[in-house]
Each structure stands twice: as structure tokens, then as C-alpha cells.
Amino acid sequence: MNFEWQVITHNFTFLMGGLVTTFELALIAIAGGLALGILVGMARLSNIKAIYYPATLFVNLMRTQPLILVIFWFYFFMPLVLGRPIGDFMSASIAFIIFEASYFAEIMRAGIQSISKGQVEAAYSTGFTYWQTMRYFIIPQALRNMLPSLITQGVVVFQDTSLAYVIGLREFLRSANVVDAREMRSVELYLFVGLVYFMVCFSMSRVCKRMELKKGNA
Amino acid sequence: MIEIVNVSKWYGDIKVLDNVNETIKKGQVVVICGPSGSGKSTLLKTLNGLEPFQEGDIQVDGISFSDPKTDFMKLRQKMGMVFQRFELYPHMKVIENITIAPVKVLKQDKSRANKKAMALLERVGIPEQADKYPGNLSGGQQQRVAIARALAMEPDIMLFDEPTSALDPEMIKEVLDVMVDLAKSGMTMAVVTHEMGFAKEVADEIIFMDEGRIIERGTDKSFFENPKSERAKDFLRKILI
């Protein structure tokens, strides 16, 4: 077999443009998904039925759908709801935030449950409100306890962003696909794409492993 | 100062507080004792609204818990609480544990709160631990930080929920010393404890609970020397060995 690696170097800027989009989408999905996930995770622990049931329905609905379908939904439904097209990046961002929030919510729910009730009582006993108690004491500890799971989920989100391919968003995989259509160098291109995904995800999971070791020693 | 009137509480079908009546006056130290499961910690936690109850009423400084307008956040600012398992915030330094409520709840200036926190750490005897994390302190030190944390809100009343039960024997005294000091300074205190030495030294009243009821009460002498109920006699025999 003869490889022509120049296809990578010649299209490097274009491919990196796609990688930047992938990073942007992953960052938005992780930040937005985590923020929404914290709220949904809190709602899943609520004693108030009007809060608990919608949150539970949301989580179960999202977690029983393939991500690719959710991406389609938002791509086709958002323009109908809003009355105007919102673009592929925007619709993918919303789909990812909402979908990933359901996974982050379950991690955060477990994280909040891992904190003793006494911590809540201690905060309440000095006059903190529910929201302050969550913000200053419970969520920071829950995030710290769940850091390994959160990073693992972050790695999954990073890989998942490649599915935005289906609505034509020019992220990393799509960029390689575009180059391939022109240059017919599938093997080189997809090997390269795989290598980049490996490097990013592997280094993230190394960070995660190190944190787990550190936590074990503490 | 605190008026408990006919308070009853159920967990499902189980009655955990049975028609409790008690008055705690300003400056008084009331010790609550009794076997485990007798409802003493539950009673203590009803006093600052951490545990709701179904019947009766509690008034603190004339503010009734049954009044729907009662602001428990406000009320708790004036009632410090110390827990069996310390419940310091493990992700914050000792000094931050003490200052966070004054700064965030009372909106105090940070440098002023820091100064006061250092004075409180001085008072409980561990100013050198200010910049450590709670996990690096001994149990006795942690509990003293917890007392300082509660005092930082300048409460009128202090509630203690078995403050020495989770401590190694050699650390009990350092915590009790701080509590005795506090009692002698005129603080109003409700203390759930089995430390009868502490009760003898500072308690104005001792109440003995069993199965959710106060079955005996008295000043220290009458309670220790001549308990009326069999249950209390039995209990005292067991813990005073």
C-alpha cells in the first residue's frame, strides 16, 4: 500500500479549522450540559413533586434516545418553533447541551447524594438558604467527588460531537470527509482523524486517572 | 427565651416526640440526656427548625414556629449549632469555615470577619490551625473549630448535639472546657450529652428523655442524687460506672 501523507499537510489548516469547531462544540456541550445537569440533578432530589417529576421525565426521555436522533430533532424542530433557521452550529449546541445535561444530571445526583445530610444541616444552622447551601457547600463537594466521572463524561462528549456530522456541521470528522471527497485519500485522512481523537481523549483520561490517584491518597 | 409547648412529632407511624414541654430561659444551660433513640437529638433539631414537627408550638424570643411568616433563616442566625460529627466544610480552610457565614449571610466585611475568626480561634485555643483544612485536624480540634464557627454568628443561643460522642476519650476534655467556659460566660445553651460531669458543673436543669417523652427533670443535685423514675435510675447506673 502506498500512503500519501501530504494530503494531511496540504489540508492542515482546513482540518484544524474543523478541529477547532469540534473543541468549541465540546466545550459548549460540557459547560452548558454540566450547568443544566447540576440544576436537573438537584431537581431529581427535590421533595416537590412538580419539580421532581418533570426532571425525571426529562432524564429518562433523553437517556432513552440515540444522540443522533436528538441532533436531528433540534435541527428540524427548532426552526419550526422559532420560525427561522438557527444554523447548524447553534442547533447542534442546543441538542448537545440538552442531551448531555441528562447524563451530567445523573452524575451530579449521585454526587450530591454522596455528601452527608449533616453538611446541609450545618449550613442551614448558620442561616444559609437552600440555594446558598448548594452553591457554597454541596455542589463544590459534589463536583470534587465526581470529578473522575465528570471527566470521563467529558471525553464521551468530545467524541460524541462527531455526530454533528449528520446535519452537515463542519467539525473535525466532517472536515476530513470534505477533504476526502476531493482528494480520495480515505485511509490517510481517517487514520489521522483517529490519531487526533486518540491523543485528545487519552490525555484527558490520563488527567482523570491522576486525579483519582490523588484523591485516593488524600 | 425558648418555649416548647406540647410538641409531638411522628416519623410515619412512629411517635418520636410525645407531647414535650420545656422552657429555657436566657442564660440557662439545659442538658438533655437519655438512651439512644429517645428523641433527644430530634428535640434539639426542632429548636432551630431543622426538624419539623406536627403538633404543638415552639417560640424563640416570642417568634412562633407555627406562624407561616416565620423566617427560619433569620432565626437560625441567632442560634448556633454544634454537631456530633463536627460537619466542618472539608473543602474550606479552618478560617474560611468560620468566616463564610458572617461574610455571606450577615454581609460582614471580610477583614473584619477574619479578625473575629482569629479571636474565636484564640478563644478555643487553636489559632495556629487557621490555614489548615479540617481533614488535617484532630477530632477535638475540629469540634472546637465547629464551636468557633457557630459563635462567629454571635448567636444568643447555642445548641449542642452530642458534641463529644464522636471523640476519642483524651479529646473530650478540651471540647468540654470550651463549653464550660461558654456556659460560664452566660450563653444560653441546650446540650444533648452523656457527659454527666459537664452537667453537674454547669447545668441549670437536666431533662431525661425516653421514648420521645421527658420523663424526669431536675436541677443537677436532685437528678443525680435522687432520680425518681426507674428508667432514669437505670440509665444513670449504666453511664456513671
Side-chain angles (χ1 to χ4, degrees):
Chain A
M1 235 180 131
N2 98 62
F3 292 112
E4 288 209 20
W5 293 107
Q6 295 94 321
V7 67
I8 312 291
T9 46
H10 287 163
N11 296 289
F12 197 70
T13 318
F14 181 80
L15 289 169
M16 286 305 113
L19 187 59
V20 168
T21 304
T22 288
F23 270 112
E24 282 172 352
L25 187 57
L27 266 175
I28 289 171
I30 291 168
L34 182 58
L36 183 59
I38 289 172
L39 292 175
V40 176
M42 284 162 64
R44 292 266 288 141
L45 293 168
S46 174
N47 294 325
I48 304 164
K49 286 192 172 120
I51 293 173
Y52 170 80
Y53 282 113
T56 304
L57 179 70
F58 166 78
V59 167
N60 286 326
L61 186 64
M62 282 300 148
R63 284 163 61 103
T64 52
Q65 297 298 306
L67 174 54
I68 202 161
L69 185 58
V70 177
I71 294 169
F72 272 135
W73 279 0
F74 281 94
Y75 187 64
F76 292 117
F77 289 164
M78 287 306 279
L80 291 180
V81 175
L82 294 173
R84 62 188 167 82
I86 55 168
D88 45 13
F89 187 80
M90 186 63 125
S91 91
S93 298
I94 296 170
F96 273 104
I97 287 173
I98 292 188
F99 182 83
E100 301 300 345
S102 68
Y103 286 85
F104 282 119
E106 289 302 271
I107 295 172
M108 287 311 293
R109 183 173 66 106
I112 293 168
Q113 281 176 315
S114 74
I115 311 300
S116 86
K117 192 173 160 248
Q119 288 281 303
V120 177
E121 290 185 331
Y124 280 179
S125 76
T126 45
F128 282 100
T129 63
Y130 170 79
W131 288 103
Q132 286 175 321
T133 300
M134 284 292 158
R135 178 176 160 201
Y136 296 123
F137 310 113
I138 309 305
I139 302 295
Q141 290 187 62
L143 284 173
R144 205 171 60 163
N145 286 359
M146 296 320 255
L147 207 51
S149 305
L150 291 169
I151 293 178
T152 305
Q153 186 61 28
V155 171
V156 171
V157 174
F158 182 78
Q159 296 163 358
D160 280 352
T161 55
S162 60
L163 287 173
Y165 170 101
V166 295
I167 54 169
L169 179 68
R170 202 168 283 175
E171 43 68 60
F172 190 42
L173 179 60
R174 181 73 174 186
S175 306
N177 184 244
V178 168
V179 175
D180 185 37
R182 198 170 58 223
E183 313 237 2
M184 313 291 259
R185 280 284 158 200
S186 307
V187 177
E188 291 87 341
L189 281 164
Y190 293 129
L191 269 174
F192 174 69
V193 169
L195 182 70
V196 172
Y197 274 108
F198 171 80
M199 289 195 309
V200 173
C201 296
F202 187 68
S203 43
M204 277 165 85
S205 69
R206 293 307 292 187
V207 170
C208 171
K209 190 143 217 171
R210 201 170 278 184
M211 281 171 175
E212 263 176 286
L213 283 176
K214 217 169 128 196
K215 211 177 136 215
N217 292 337
Chain B
M1 183 156 245
I2 301 180
E3 197 81 43
I4 307 168
V5 186
N6 294 329
V7 166
S8 293
K9 176 183 173 70
W10 286 262
Y11 283 128
D13 291 336
I14 304 158
K15 200 165 192 181
V16 288
L17 290 179
D18 190 355
N19 205 25
V20 174
N21 287 280
E22 170 68 8
T23 304
I24 302 174
K25 296 196 195 79
K26 191 168 168 51
Q28 260 192 338
V29 176
V30 173
V31 165
I32 306 165
C33 62
S36 70
S38 60
K40 51 198 193 307
S41 288
T42 307
L43 176 64
L44 195 76
K45 285 179 181 174
T46 59
L47 298 184
N48 63 353
L50 286 181
E51 289 279 1
F53 49 89
Q54 285 85 22
E55 266 176 26
D57 191 21
I58 294 177
Q59 290 187 13
V60 175
D61 276 337
I63 298 164
S64 163
F65 284 22
S66 56
D67 182 347
K69 286 198 293 282
T70 293
D71 180 355
F72 282 100
M73 309 302 149
K74 198 99 193 158
L75 200 76
R76 287 173 190 146
Q77 293 172 18
K78 287 284 150 204
M79 301 176 85
M81 189 161 205
V82 175
F83 299 85
Q84 183 176 358
R85 304 220 52 94
F86 328 132
E87 301 300 348
L88 295 177
Y89 311 123
H91 59 306
M92 293 177 172
K93 288 178 179 169
V94 162
I95 186 95
E96 293 163 334
N97 264 275
I98 301 172
T99 56
I100 186 155
V103 170
K104 300 293 181 188
V105 177
L106 299 179
K107 312 285 178 213
Q108 273 177 14
D109 179 67
K110 200 153 188 183
S111 66
R112 196 188 132 200
N114 268 322
K115 226 181 254 167
K116 198 171 69 188
M118 283 314 297
L120 285 167
L121 281 175
E122 202 85 49
R123 182 169 170 187
V124 300
I126 41 172
E128 73 284 357
Q129 310 291 344
D131 289 317
K132 291 194 184 158
Y133 284 89
N136 299 324
L137 269 57
S138 73
Q141 291 171 330
Q142 288 193 51
Q143 195 61 300
R144 285 188 278 162
V145 172
I147 294 172
R149 174 176 70 179
L151 291 175
M153 295 294 284
E154 295 176 1
D156 298 328
I157 301 163
M158 284 285 285
L159 309 173
F160 292 84
D161 185 11
E162 304 203 33
T164 58
S165 304
L167 295 177
D168 292 334
E170 73 268 23
M171 292 170 186
I172 292 177
K173 188 175 178 302
E174 64 189 52
V175 171
L176 287 180
D177 284 348
V178 171
M179 291 169 61
V180 168
D181 244 25
L182 198 58
K184 289 185 173 162
S185 75
M187 177 64 77
T188 310
M189 291 162 67
V191 185
V192 173
T193 187
H194 291 161
E195 293 297 332
M196 290 302 125
F198 171 81
K200 274 183 184 163
E201 188 170 354
V202 295
D204 296 296
E205 189 184 26
I206 298 166
I207 57 184
F208 178 75
M209 288 184 74
D210 192 28
E211 293 176 344
R213 282 190 302 267
I214 296 178
I215 59 172
E216 185 147 351
R217 64 178 82 218
T219 60
D220 54 350
K221 285 223 167 72
S222 66
F223 180 73
F224 288 112
E225 286 165 12
N226 192 20
K228 291 176 223 80
S229 63
E230 269 314 304
R231 201 68 195 79
K233 274 180 199 160
D234 188 44
F235 177 77
L236 282 176
R237 248 198 315 276
K238 278 179 186 148
I239 63 162
L240 287 179
I241 300 167

